[in-house]
């Protein structure tokens, strides 16, 4: 197949990186308040990125239509984010700054992020905290009443603001309250239980979407002067992931098939701190916040016979002495210890388990132990309370109270799922698919390669490179929605003030709706023999086994062939009960899995073409003897286009887009 080629213009402003955003805002075109009333914007997704964007655009005066497949915006998957949100406020006085947050983010992403976007992200991060405090978000505070901070992996400062283990939920409630204010004013028209199934392009510009009412089954046309995709990531291509079961790639994939380029699809984050899989019956995995690594120490037995005895139930972890425990992250990476970045921690856990040191029945678990922290906090509290010669029981009691105040809901969640008390017995954790750093390619304005179509938050590729640092997802989502898109979209919409309403009777809307109806009709009329989940699980197994934490050329080639075979069988033999014109969850899943099957093949192709190891992309052929990444340090974004015939096109490397002018390119080291 012939290569498709296009030069990507990132539209990064000229000048020093620290001045780019300020200079950009000073020179863009604006839409005055009276004209904003005549402009419509569609926002797909109501998580932190979509919700904050919808609220802010409506506050500015635009007419906003917001869509979510959940029954309420407050159920968007952003509520599942636990540990915190980064901001360069330097409240601890420990040396943090805008530049350090920028540098940590670019370095943590293995120098694969777009630097201009990341510096802007660090620059506006402090505003996010002020915005959320004003909304009433209950961030944790220290004894004196000031906002508290904790550390996350890959950094040497404390910059993460948090609300126990419910940070995402509390931030989303802030955005949701801002949305509700605009819904009440009539500036946001909210479409709950609606799913975008295609984008409509008129004269080369995004002018609307085709959506399905998931309650009635009705297919609807919606027009606007611009379309914003804030639909999250695609981790569910693995079937088992920390994502909600409904999380999907459909909105992003539909615009991709209409011309929006997809960048770095193989950059998928494996989160090191998840509750291990317990059986084939599971439909999702549960995240335990990375914040637990602040106080929890990760270890496995030093001796294979001890690990075997623990797996067989003959030995308890509490019976192992300190000398018989291997705190392998502290041993390998003494400077960062248990707070190494997620990709490093995940691969290290896999390596120990693959070597036979896993501690649960499946052999796929390591320990996260809070005993040392409980004892340390207990002794500190005894001093504070003036308790002389406290007993060991009293020290543990006081220490457990401190840990409960910091992480209590996480410990409760773990105990309900695993039926073990993590205060007394070390938690078991294992890596699982989590965040996706790849996504829709966007320029500095957050616009895709389709004029008038924007992608924000996890749906785009720009900020996290090959590995997202912890507590950066919430930062990016809210930065894009509250402080970036409202500026950049105005520059584009300034040319639309005389366009008038976009008619949904245009032939482009009719054609897009027809295509959607044909696919849905096929699913309900195809009398196959296998359920949608049957194919989703098969895809997930191939992805995890051959396109997971560690990849090699042979496995990737096999994965591409196997995924293609699964996809072909899916279109012949999938069975979807029920009809089109009714509530039909299986029909929803069928459309989503069809998109995952196409994405999975492109995902594997991306991984095969990328001849290096970096962050969430770890090629076995490109590593040193001690398992560290070995890279060729090319400065490129990998971009793949999709031919409309349904086959992935050849890869095209675009070095022009990422030149890494602003910081010295170094090999990442955490030793």
């Amino acid at each position: 197949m012939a290569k498709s080629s296009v030069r990507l213009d990132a539209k990064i402003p000229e000048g020093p990186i620290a001045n780019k955003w300020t200079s950009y805002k000073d020179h863009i075109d604006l839409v005055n308040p009276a004209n904003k009333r005549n402009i419509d914007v569609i926002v797909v997704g109501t998580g932190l990125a979509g919700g904050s964007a919808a609220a802010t655009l409506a506050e500015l005066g635009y007419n906003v239509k917001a869509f979510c497949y959940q029954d309420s915006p407050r159920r968007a998957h952003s509520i599942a984010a636990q540990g915190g949100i980064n901001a360069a406020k330097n409240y601890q006085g420990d040396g943090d700054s805008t530049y350090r947050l920028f540098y940590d983010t670019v370095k943590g992403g293995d120098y694969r992020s777009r630097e201009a976007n990341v510096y802007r992200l660090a620059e506006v991060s402090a505003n996010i905290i002020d915005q959320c405090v004003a909304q009433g978000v209950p961030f944790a505070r220290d004894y004196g009443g000031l906002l508290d901070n904790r550390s996350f992996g890959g950094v040497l400062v404390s910059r993460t603001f948090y609300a126990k283990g419910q940070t995402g939920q509390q931030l989303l409630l802030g955005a949701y309250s801002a949305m509700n204010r605009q819904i009440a004013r009539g500036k946001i028209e909210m479409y709950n239980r609606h799913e975008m199934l295609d984008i409509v392009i008129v004269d080369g510009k995004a002018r609307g979407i085709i959506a399905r009412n998931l309650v009635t089954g009705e297919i609807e046309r919606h027009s606007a002067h611009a379309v914003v995709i804030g639909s999250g990531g695609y981790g569910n291509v693995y079937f088992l992931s920390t994502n909600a079961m409904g999380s999907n790639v459909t909105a992003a994939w539909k615009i991709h098939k209409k011309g929006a380029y997809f960048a770095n699809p193989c950059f998928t984050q494996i989160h090191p701190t998840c509750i291990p899989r317990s059986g084939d019956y599971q439909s999702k995995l549960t995240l335990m916040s990375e914040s637990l690594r602040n106080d929890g120490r990760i270890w496995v037995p030093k001796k294979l016979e001890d690990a075997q005895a623990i797996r067989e139930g003959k030995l308890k972890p509490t019976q192992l002495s300190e000398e018989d425990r291997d705190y392998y992250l502290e041993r390998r990476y003494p400077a960062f210890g248990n707070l190494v970045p997620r990709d490093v921690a995940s691969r290290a856990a896999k390596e120990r388990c693959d070597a036979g040191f896993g501690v649960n029945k499946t052999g796929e678990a390591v320990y996260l132990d809070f005993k040392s922290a409980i004892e340390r906090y207990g002794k500190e509290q005894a001093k504070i309370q003036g308790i002389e010669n406290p007993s060991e029981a009293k020290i543990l009691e006081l220490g457990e109270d401190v840990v409960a105040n910091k992480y209590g809901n996480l410990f409760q969640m773990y105990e309900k799922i695993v039926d073990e008390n993590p205060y007394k017995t070390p938690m078991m954790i294992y890596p699982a698919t989590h965040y996706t750093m790849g996504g829709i390619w966007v320029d500095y304005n957050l616009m895709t390669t389709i004029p008038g179509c924007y992608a924000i938050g996890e749906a785009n590729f720009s900020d996290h490179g090959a590995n997202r640092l912890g507590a950066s997802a919430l930062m990016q989502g809210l930065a894009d929605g509250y402080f970036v898109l409202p500026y950049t979209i105005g520059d584009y919409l300034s040319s639309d003030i005389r366009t008038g309403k976009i008619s949904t009777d245009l032939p482009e809307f009719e054609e897009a709706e027809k295509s959607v109806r044909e696919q849905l009709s096929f699913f309900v009329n195809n009398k196959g023999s296998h359920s949608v989940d049957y194919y989703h699980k098969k895809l997930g197994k191939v992805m995890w086994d051959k396109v997971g934490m560690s990849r090699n050329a042979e496995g990737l080639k096999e994965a591409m062939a196997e995924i293609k075979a699964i996809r072909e069988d899916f279109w012949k033999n999938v069975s979807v009960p029920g009809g089109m014109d009714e509530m039909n969850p299986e029909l929803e899943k069928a459309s989503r899995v069809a998109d995952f099957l196409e994405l999975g093949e492109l995902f594997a192709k991306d991984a095969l073409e990328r001849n290096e190891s970096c962050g969430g992309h770890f090629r076995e052929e490109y590593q040193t003897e001690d398992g560290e990444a070995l890279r060729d340090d090319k400065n490129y974004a990998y971009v793949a286009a999709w031919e409309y015939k349904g086959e992935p096109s050849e890869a095209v490397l675009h070095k022009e887009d990422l030149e890494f002018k602003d910081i010295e390119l170094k090999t990442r080291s955490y030793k």
Side-chain angles (χ1 to χ4, degrees), residues 47-50 52-53 78 81-89 96-106 113 117-129 131-132 139 149 152-153 155 159-162 167-168 171-172 342 435 446 456-458 460 462-464 467-485:
L48 288 180
S52 60
S78 296
Q82 297 168 347
I85 176 171
N86 288 331
K89 278 189 169 288
D96 201 10
S97 65
T98 296
Y99 181 84
R100 187 172 290 277
L101 175 53
F102 155 70
Y103 181 81
D104 286 345
T105 305
V106 175
S113 312
N117 290 56
V118 176
Y119 196 93
R120 176 176 64 187
L121 175 65
E123 195 175 345
V124 305
S125 64
N127 297 338
I128 299 171
I129 304 304
Q131 169 90 3
C132 294
F139 287 121
N149 289 125
F152 264 59
V155 303
R159 64 163 67 102
T160 303
F161 295 78
Y162 64 98
T167 313
L171 292 173
L172 186 63
R342 291 175 176 179
Y435 189 92
L446 305 181
I456 58 177
E458 191 179 0
N460 78 35
S462 62
D463 289 31
H464 305 300
N467 176 56
R468 179 177 68 81
L469 290 183
S472 292
L474 308 188
M475 177 174 62
Q476 187 209 351
L478 292 181
D480 286 356
Y482 282 138
F483 299 110
V484 178
L485 181 74

Side-chain angles (χ1 to χ4, degrees), residues 157-346:
V157 297
S158 295
R159 64 163 67 102
T160 303
F161 295 78
Y162 64 98
K164 278 197 172 182
Q166 306 171 350
T167 313
Q169 180 174 346
Q170 298 302 329
L171 292 173
L172 186 63
L173 288 173
Y176 179 59
S177 66
M179 284 186 70
N180 272 343
R181 179 171 180 270
Q182 300 306 321
I183 292 170
R185 293 179 62 218
K187 295 303 293 181
I188 293 180
E189 198 171 347
M190 191 65 231
Y191 291 87
N192 300 333
R193 301 294 285 134
H194 280 69
E195 183 164 29
M196 171 186 160
L197 294 180
D198 206 354
I199 190 169
V200 180
I201 299 175
V202 180
D203 295 330
K205 295 182 179 181
R207 291 306 198 189
I209 66 170
I210 304 299
R212 181 172 181 266
N213 183 322
L214 300 181
V215 176
T216 66
E218 183 181 357
I219 307 300
E220 302 174 0
R221 305 177 185 182
H222 296 275
S223 67
H225 298 91
V227 175
V228 179
I229 305 298
S231 55
Y234 48 87
N236 276 351
V237 70
Y238 286 91
F239 184 70
L240 283 178
S241 80
T242 65
N243 289 285
M245 289 185 67
S247 296
N248 63 83
V249 75
T250 291
W253 197 248
K254 296 305 186 187
I255 68 169
H256 176 45
K257 294 182 75 170
K258 286 288 185 72
Y261 272 48
F262 214 99
N264 310 333
C266 77
F267 284 171
T268 303
Q269 186 168 76
I270 310 295
H271 197 295
T273 318
C274 299
I275 296 178
R277 178 179 63 89
S278 57
D280 293 335
Y281 55 84
Q282 279 185 255
S283 56
K284 77 175 299 293
L285 298 171
T286 303
L287 172 69
M288 300 303 291
S289 169
E290 182 181 332
S291 63
L292 295 172
R293 290 199 278 148
N294 271 281
D295 289 312
R297 300 178 70 194
I298 296 173
W299 63 275
V300 293
K302 282 185 178 178
K303 302 173 184 175
L304 282 170
E305 56 266 32
D306 287 343
Q308 180 68 28
I310 288 174
R311 287 197 295 270
E312 294 174 352
K314 298 175 181 177
L315 184 67
K316 294 182 179 179
T318 51
Q319 295 175 311
L320 259 64
S321 65
E322 285 292 304
E323 298 77 41
D324 292 325
R325 301 180 179 193
D326 177 16
Y327 296 93
Y328 57 89
L329 291 179
E330 298 172 27
R331 169 171 57 83
R332 296 180 184 180
Y333 313 101
F336 284 77
N338 295 294
L339 283 174
V340 294
R342 291 175 176 179
D343 62 317
V344 177
S346 294

Side-chain angles (χ1 to χ4, degrees), residues 392-453:
E392 183 178 349
K394 187 63 177 177
I395 289 172
L396 294 178
E397 177 189 335
L398 294 171
E400 286 180 9
D401 287 343
V402 174
V403 170
N405 285 330
K406 295 180 73 173
Y407 311 110
N409 63 303
L410 297 172
F411 277 57
Q412 292 169 3
M413 185 167 65
Y414 179 89
E415 186 168 6
K416 285 183 178 180
I417 293 172
V418 181
D419 196 26
E420 284 186 354
N421 183 347
Y423 294 101
K424 308 298 183 185
T425 303
M427 286 184 180
M428 290 185 293
I429 58 169
Y430 193 70
T433 305
H434 183 49
Y435 189 92
T436 53
M437 287 79 68
I440 296 298
W441 186 92
V442 293
D443 62 18
Y444 189 73
N445 301 314
L446 305 181
M447 190 188 292
T448 71
T449 46
I450 300 174
C453 180

